[in-house]
Amino acid sequence: MAPERNAVVQRMRDAIADDLDTPRVVAIVDEWVSTPPAAGDADVVALVDALLGLDLTTD
């Protein structure tokens, strides 16, 4: 995974570990979707689906 995507995943995991800070996770996802596509995006999509139940793979 690309280092910047690894950092996104880690920040999301840290937010969930911090008393299920879902608003912080959503803010991280919002920040991530505003960045250009990069290696490791599939890992972020999978984590968003697993943590929040949001399927980002459909149109």
Side-chain angles (χ1 to χ4, degrees):
M1 183 182 330
E4 62 274 0
R5 296 312 188 234
N6 196 22
V8 170
V9 168
Q10 188 58 53
R11 288 175 57 212
M12 290 170 57
R13 288 181 175 153
D14 291 346
I16 291 297
D18 183 17
D19 199 25
L20 298 174
D21 192 349
T22 307
R24 191 165 97 201
V25 174
V26 172
I28 294 166
V29 171
D30 187 49
E31 178 184 314
W32 165 70
V33 298
S34 68
T35 62
D41 281 344
D43 296 320
V44 177
V45 169
L47 186 61
V48 168
D49 187 24
L51 292 179
L52 303 175
L54 301 174
D55 183 3
L56 301 178
T57 61
T58 59
D59 292 331

